[in-house]
Amino acid sequence: MKPGYIPFMGGRPERNLVIGADDILNLVILLNTTLTVEAFINKL
């Protein structure tokens, strides 16, 4: 298996860094400025 492989139903992968307040704010802004979920995902 590849090093980054996540097994089906294996849960969330280990996170090396904590999501910061700036990252959350940027996601909230992006979520509120896109018209559809598809557009939001495409901008990620």
Side-chain angles (χ1 to χ4, degrees), residues 8-29:
F8 181 70
M9 301 291 284
R12 190 179 82 180
E14 292 294 323
R15 184 178 303 276
N16 295 335
L17 301 173
V18 177
I19 297 174
D22 288 340
D23 297 325
I24 294 171
L25 180 61
N26 289 336
L27 285 172
V28 170
I29 291 169

Side-chain angles (χ1 to χ4, degrees), residues 1-8 11-14:
M1 286 189 230
K2 294 180 182 178
Y5 175 74
I6 301 170
F8 181 70
R12 190 179 82 180
E14 292 294 323

